[in-house]
Amino acid sequence: MRRTLSALAACIALPASAAMNPAWTEPVAPHVIYGNTYFVGTRGLSSILITSPQGHVLIDATLPENATLVEANIRKLGFRIEDIKLILNSHAHADHAGGIARLARDTGAPVRATAAAAKELALGGNDVDDPQHGEAPLYPAVKATGDIVEGSVVRVGSLTLTAHLTPGHTPGGTAWTWQSCEGAACKQIVFADSLGAFAADGYRFADHPAYVTAYRQAIQRLGALQPCDVLLAPHPEQAEGKTCATYADAGRRKLEERLAKETAH
């Protein structure tokens, strides 16, 4: 019954927050994280703005219904949304990619993603390869250039961001790293993708060995990122008190626990 109700909710395009964490739509004051990196999301969902005189990059836009709030947060910091020149994504679920269509329309900025993520975005989340397909809410479809691969470097003005592929939570999951400075003091920022092994009823990771192998490799890749001076995550609380290594360890434990339960039945 739970899957039937969830699938129905997705099909009729209910707001993704309807039965979810209230913090996902709770406003929070936009603020500087470090240097030219800013938080412009909600209390429970990250949207990250990285700025330069030549233009800005936005990573994630949270839920569809939060798009206006994200835009307002950017303006509160004194930036113009029209100066966003590129939009990126951690993973293509409604709570992180749902507002991208609106932000892309309002800013005119292109969206770049991996081939797998571009497919997910174009389908508005209705991707049969997603472990949560059938339960993850749908969202406005997004046209993205699917040219990001492991180690891709994207540039906007003086900004340089590097992609680190983290398939698992979704097929197109991607972590991003860049450097932000305050005067002569610079830090490496890591926006780590979610690593939780969540799935719709009836989906078994154990039935997809190649996917599990890629998942484990992604966790190892993320845990090895160095330096990891400032750790961010799609849900802010996921990164609290963690390093890249401990964040990856937590994801690894959850995946192995999930696999053990699946193979025990």
Side-chain angles (χ1 to χ4, degrees):
M1 177 63 72
R2 181 169 66 87
R3 185 177 184 183
T4 301
L5 291 175
S6 298
L8 177 61
C11 289
I12 61 178
L14 287 175
S17 60
M20 297 184 183
N21 190 330
W24 291 7
T25 54
E26 182 181 347
V28 63
H31 55 275
V32 63
I33 295 170
Y34 189 83
N36 60 337
T37 298
Y38 298 86
F39 187 93
V40 294
T42 65
R43 186 166 300 279
L45 295 174
S46 298
S47 183
I48 306 299
L49 182 72
I50 309 109
T51 66
S52 82
Q54 299 83 21
H56 316 319
V57 175
L58 183 73
I59 308 178
D60 287 356
T62 82
L63 294 159
E65 56 267 43
N66 287 343
T68 300
L69 182 151
V70 170
E71 292 183 353
N73 281 345
I74 293 168
R75 293 188 178 103
K76 285 177 184 177
L77 291 169
F79 300 108
R80 295 175 358 114
I81 64 168
E82 295 82 3
D83 290 333
I84 294 173
K85 303 303 181 184
L86 179 64
I87 298 175
L88 305 172
N89 181 225
S90 58
H91 67 268
H93 279 160
D95 46 338
H96 310 292
I100 290 180
R102 168 74 179 272
L103 266 294
R105 184 197 74 189
D106 292 351
T107 64
V111 181
R112 292 178 65 184
T114 68
K119 184 184 79 166
E120 295 171 84
L121 290 165
L123 293 170
N126 191 23
D127 181 11
V128 295
D129 292 325
D130 182 356
Q132 295 183 58
H133 178 255
E135 292 189 5
L138 305 184
Y139 54 88
V142 179
K143 182 179 180 180
T145 302
D147 63 334
I148 298 299
V149 298
E150 173 61 27
S152 286
V153 175
V154 300
R155 293 182 173 87
V156 170
S158 58
L159 303 178
T160 301
L161 292 86
T162 303
H164 308 272
L165 272 56
T166 53
H169 187 70
T170 67
T174 310
W176 295 93
T177 58
W178 64 94
Q179 188 179 78
S180 284
C181 301
E182 293 185 352
C186 297
K187 293 186 177 183
Q188 182 85 347
I189 315 293
V190 177
F191 189 84
D193 187 32
S194 297
L195 296 178
F198 301 110
D201 288 348
Y203 183 96
R204 286 166 43 91
F205 286 94
D207 294 338
H208 305 273
Y211 194 76
V212 170
T213 296
Y215 203 156
R216 287 175 171 145
Q217 291 172 342
I219 292 171
Q220 182 177 4
R221 181 179 297 124
L222 201 157
L225 289 177
Q226 291 294 333
C228 182
D229 299 318
V230 178
L231 178 65
L232 308 174
H235 298 273
E237 72 277 6
Q238 292 174 329
E240 290 178 358
K242 292 187 176 70
T243 64
C244 282
T246 59
Y247 184 89
D249 284 343
R252 184 180 296 107
R253 286 195 302 271
K254 293 290 179 62
L255 174 59
E256 299 306 330
E257 289 170 3
R258 171 85 189 207
L259 289 168
K261 289 180 181 178
E262 290 178 354
T263 55
H265 296 89

